[in-house]
Amino acid sequence: MSDDAFELLVEDALDQIPKSFLRLMDNVAIFIEDRYQPLPHEDPATALLGLYEGVALTERDGGWGAGALPDRITIYKDSILEICENEKQVIEEVGITMVHEIAHHFGVGDKKLHDLGWG
């Protein structure tokens, strides 16, 4: 799948998020990269489909924000393509990954997401 086609899938997944949630998101940028590069202390085989980096809305206090860089949501194209057998699965996985990472922005943890079927 081309980079452009994958980017359109990510945009479509974002368009599926209810506007009421998108309006509540604060200072978030979305990126697409090929794959996650594990940190030195992580298992080199660590593979992620997406990653949220930032301060969840539930953890921000009154002093947060002055000069803060945007939170990041990164979707990992090659990692998603590797686990999917067809375009339909890619579309579904991009959607699940987008919901999962946006939920982290709202303070929802991995255990709860897995319990809800968004793991």
Side-chain angles (χ1 to χ4, degrees):
M1 176 176 286
S2 73
D3 289 346
D4 289 341
F6 191 83
E7 185 175 330
L8 286 175
L9 293 181
V10 170
E11 290 174 12
D12 288 345
L14 192 56
D15 287 343
Q16 299 302 311
I17 303 297
K19 301 298 181 233
S20 57
F21 283 104
L22 293 177
R23 283 192 294 272
L24 295 173
M25 291 176 65
D26 182 37
N27 203 26
V28 180
I30 298 175
F31 297 89
I32 299 170
E33 293 182 10
D34 289 337
R35 74 180 61 253
Y36 176 72
Q37 297 298 318
L39 299 173
H41 66 277
E42 293 178 313
D43 181 340
T46 300
L48 299 178
L49 305 180
L51 179 65
Y52 168 75
E53 299 171 283
V55 178
L57 293 175
T58 55
E59 297 176 16
R60 296 179 184 182
D61 61 22
W64 184 92
L69 293 173
D71 291 4
R72 280 179 71 107
I73 291 175
T74 306
I75 307 296
Y76 296 106
K77 176 186 173 219
D78 290 347
S79 298
I80 289 175
L81 294 178
E82 286 174 3
I83 67 164
C84 296
E85 295 178 11
N86 55 53
E87 187 172 333
K88 181 177 185 245
Q89 287 180 352
V90 174
I91 292 167
E92 290 173 4
E93 195 55 58
V94 168
I96 291 168
T97 303
M98 184 65 73
V99 168
H100 184 103
E101 302 311 331
I102 288 173
H104 284 321
H105 177 67
F106 286 99
V108 181
D110 281 325
K111 181 177 180 340
K112 183 68 171 179
L113 285 166
H114 285 274
D115 291 347
L116 294 170
W118 295 100

